[in-house]
Amino acid sequence: MIQMVGVSKLYQNGVAALHDINIHIEKGEFVFLIGQSGAGKTTFIRLLFREELPSTGQIMVGGRSIIRLNRKEIAILRRNIGVVFQDFRLLPNLNVYENVAFAMRVTECAKNDISRRVPEVLDLVGLGHKSGSMPAQLSGGEQQRVAIARAIVNKPMVVIADEPTGNLDPETSWDLMRLLNEINKTGTTVLVATHARDIVDVMRKRVLALENGRMMRDDTGGGYDE
Ligand code: ADP
Ligand code: ADP
């Protein structure tokens, strides 16, 4: 599903954010990506949806190299990857329904498909009753669930979340992780970059640990520290 071979990333300012990364994530896996601030987690994620290109190495998503893609192919890649950010990134002037529908409209889905799929996905994340609300009227946890609905609405192969619980209280963080776990159980590959030590320790998923741009651990069923 996701493969990196000899991937390094040197930013223009000379910062070596990633060094010789070699990983293989199978379809249907749930993976935590951990590491201190500055370890390279966000860079790792940006490489996967072509927000950045690696300086060296090969990246495959869904069996295809994503290094040389034209604009149309990048759009297709991004449709296959649902991304969730720490700061939610909802469109503030659109209600919940429209925020999710927007993600389908940009991929030129048929109107019928949109009006069928959006309520279905809002029900999945437990927000069917909030479809008319504006983002500012929602709690942080609800906003993040809208972001998840938007990420999965096009039925991506992979859902990637970058510090999704960074702005949420502990209880809401757990609700969110449970939701990501449910999504994973439907067969969707899930990759979560996180600092949430207690959650990583309890969920016992595969743990990839970055330190100063190097992959220092790859443990199946691992905890935060070992
Ligand atoms: P993390 O997400 O683990 O905090 P990042 O991938 O954001 O780590 O950052 C890894 C390193 O790369 C840091 O030293 C950071 O300052 C640097 N970095 C991140 N983005 C850029 C950029 N666009 N330009 C230059 N340096 C960057
Ligand atoms: P269909 O049965 O028509 O394919 P589903 O509504 O069952 O449609 O959706 C399946 C797809 O929806 C999954 O492959 C996944 O990408 C996405 N999905 C995300 N989260 C969930 C979830 N919690 N439950 C079901 N499907 C989900």
Side-chain angles (χ1 to χ4, degrees):
M1 174 62 50
I2 294 173
Q3 196 170 4
M4 290 193 187
V5 181
V7 167
S8 297
K9 176 65 184 179
L10 190 67
Y11 282 111
Q12 303 246 315
N13 60 1
V15 173
L18 291 175
H19 182 78
D20 193 22
I21 303 295
N22 295 283
I23 53 111
H24 193 170
I25 297 172
E26 304 278 0
K27 178 170 165 36
E29 281 198 80
F30 189 119
V31 180
F32 283 123
L33 179 64
I34 67 170
Q36 296 193 335
S37 186
K41 304 181 296 298
T42 299
T43 301
F44 183 99
I45 284 172
R46 282 193 185 142
L47 290 174
L48 292 177
F49 65 101
R50 268 297 297 258
E51 209 169 74
E52 292 285 349
L53 274 167
S55 309
T56 60
Q58 185 57 257
I59 303 176
M60 315 273 284
V61 175
R64 295 194 51 197
S65 168
I66 63 162
I67 303 303
R68 282 187 198 82
L69 300 180
N70 61 33
R71 272 179 54 188
K72 194 172 170 208
E73 291 166 325
I74 291 174
I76 292 169
L77 171 74
R78 291 183 180 160
R79 203 177 310 161
N80 278 310
I81 300 180
V83 187
V84 176
F85 301 95
Q86 174 171 2
D87 56 358
F88 321 136
R89 301 199 193 175
L90 302 178
L91 297 165
N93 301 322
L94 298 182
N95 69 23
V96 165
Y97 181 98
E98 289 300 330
N99 260 279
V100 178
F102 185 80
M104 291 186 81
R105 296 218 169 91
V106 296
T107 67
E108 287 164 20
C109 286
K111 273 190 176 165
N112 280 345
D113 292 338
I114 296 175
S115 53
R116 190 169 36 79
R117 177 68 175 158
V118 174
E120 181 180 287
V121 174
L122 287 176
D123 282 342
L124 274 174
V125 302
L127 286 178
H129 60 300
K130 297 269 179 165
S131 60
S133 300
M134 301 303 284
Q137 299 173 309
L138 303 176
S139 69
E142 288 170 337
Q143 290 186 55
Q144 195 58 301
R145 280 189 277 152
V146 177
I148 289 181
R150 184 181 55 187
I152 64 176
V153 74
N154 291 316
K155 301 184 181 176
M157 302 184 291
V158 188
V159 171
I160 298 177
D162 192 1
E163 300 276 356
T165 63
N167 287 323
L168 305 179
D169 61 60
E171 196 176 328
T172 311
S173 299
W174 272 110
D175 288 341
L176 204 82
M177 286 296 182
R178 274 192 282 269
L179 179 59
L180 288 168
N181 204 29
E182 288 300 310
I183 289 165
N184 175 245
K185 282 182 187 159
T186 70
T188 309
T189 308
V190 174
L191 174 68
V192 182
T194 190
H195 279 121
R197 171 184 299 271
D198 50 335
I199 289 176
V200 173
D201 280 340
V202 170
M203 286 179 74
R204 293 285 151 180
K205 303 291 189 183
R206 180 173 173 191
V207 174
L208 298 175
L210 281 169
E211 270 175 48
N212 293 321
R214 288 166 196 268
M215 197 62 82
M216 301 304 281
R217 276 177 56 208
D218 180 355
D219 291 338
T220 307
Y224 199 92
D225 291 311
E226 90 258 10

